[in-house]
Amino acid sequence: MEGVVNLQLSSKSVGVFEAFYNSVKPIQLISSNIEVAKAGKIPGGKTEIPFEFPLHTKGNKVLYETYHGVFVNIQYSLRCDMRRSLLAKDLSRNCEFIVHCQPQKAKVAPTPVNFTITPDTLENTRERSLLPKFLIRGHLDATHCVISQPLTGEVVLENSDVPIKSIELQLVRVETCGCAEGYARDATEIQNIQIAEGDVCHGLSIPIYMVFPRLFTCPTLETTNFKVEFEVNVVIVLHDDHLITENFPLKLCRV
């Protein structure tokens, strides 16, 4: 049985951070071996050999939740090796198993976050005077979210000088690898859900509803060697393919 955190630098970071290259070596969380059957013959038919492993970590390590990312991967696996006689080939099989972290005892009180998007609230715009006029309001029911429950809220297009093409929700993971000497921080999309298509009615409440995909999200993690954080973007696509994006950092937990 093995549990490993695999860290990987993105191509843009390789060469820049040679100083902390050692900090992106795999982190072994758990490793155990047991013999489930002694040497001998297995009779014909079906043979079941029960086994169990205590989930004891190595040293002072912590068991993190299973998580499949781009630059951070937390995986737990069982490997069964069957040694055979000289002329027969040894057999080996691998199987991943999923680990959930201990849920928090405390309840998470949802704190709604209201937002208003107008040309004046936008950042990273070069020529604000050329932007069409628009007003978009909405709220997220919570940004401190329980991972087993959906992200909910609503968005309302109050008015817009140009037609709307689409409204989308984009879930993003922000993975940080490294240590005190330096770190590489990369944001990648997990999923994108279209919640409205075409030029929607003005003043209409459009529900926001997004389920967190199990293997590609985990409770927000912050350790000395790596971090896994999450954000959601509300993206409004105008008819001329201009993108208006409002970003919300999320904190995920399990209760």
Side-chain angles (χ1 to χ4, degrees), residues 125-145:
T125 53
R126 289 181 188 156
E127 297 172 332
R128 203 179 293 274
S129 58
L130 298 178
L131 285 173
K133 285 194 169 56
F134 55 82
L135 172 59
I136 298 151
R137 295 187 201 278
H139 70 267
L140 295 178
D141 291 330
T143 53
H144 192 157
C145 305

Side-chain angles (χ1 to χ4, degrees), residues 197-250:
E197 183 179 13
D199 197 19
V200 294
C201 296
H202 293 187
L204 178 73
S205 292
I206 299 163
I208 289 172
Y209 189 95
M210 178 184 275
V211 174
F212 296 109
R214 171 58 196 95
L215 288 178
F216 305 112
T217 55
C218 64
T220 301
L221 264 179
E222 193 166 333
T223 76
T224 48
N225 293 87
F226 66 94
K227 287 196 283 189
V228 182
E229 299 162 297
F230 300 92
E231 298 173 352
V232 69
N233 293 323
V234 177
V235 183
I236 289 92
V237 187
L238 301 179
H239 215 65
D240 53 5
D241 285 336
H242 268 97
L243 292 182
I244 302 159
T245 304
E246 188 78 0
N247 176 270
F248 302 92
L250 300 177

Side-chain angles (χ1 to χ4, degrees), residues 94-203:
N94 265 308
C95 171
E96 183 180 6
F97 64 95
I98 310 300
V99 170
H100 278 189
C101 70
Q102 287 283 2
Q104 296 176 4
K105 294 280 195 311
K107 287 189 174 178
V108 176
T111 319
V113 176
N114 296 312
F115 59 88
T116 302
I117 311 170
T118 67
D120 296 331
T121 63
L122 296 181
E123 297 172 11
N124 305 324
T125 53
R126 289 181 188 156
E127 297 172 332
R128 203 179 293 274
S129 58
L130 298 178
L131 285 173
K133 285 194 169 56
F134 55 82
L135 172 59
I136 298 151
R137 295 187 201 278
H139 70 267
L140 295 178
D141 291 330
T143 53
H144 192 157
C145 305
V146 178
I147 197 167
S148 55
Q149 294 171 8
L151 173 77
T152 56
E154 66 176 33
V155 62
V156 181
L157 175 66
E158 297 287 3
N159 57 65
S160 173
D161 285 357
V162 295
I164 300 289
K165 190 175 184 181
S166 172
I167 301 177
E168 296 163 9
L169 284 180
Q170 183 187 43
L171 183 61
V172 172
R173 66 196 141 207
V174 183
E175 296 166 322
T176 307
C177 300
C179 58
E181 286 83 22
Y183 60 89
R185 188 174 186 271
D186 292 278
T188 50
E189 182 185 295
I190 299 174
Q191 66 182 7
N192 192 307
I193 296 174
Q194 186 180 43
I195 59 171
E197 183 179 13
D199 197 19
V200 294
C201 296
H202 293 187

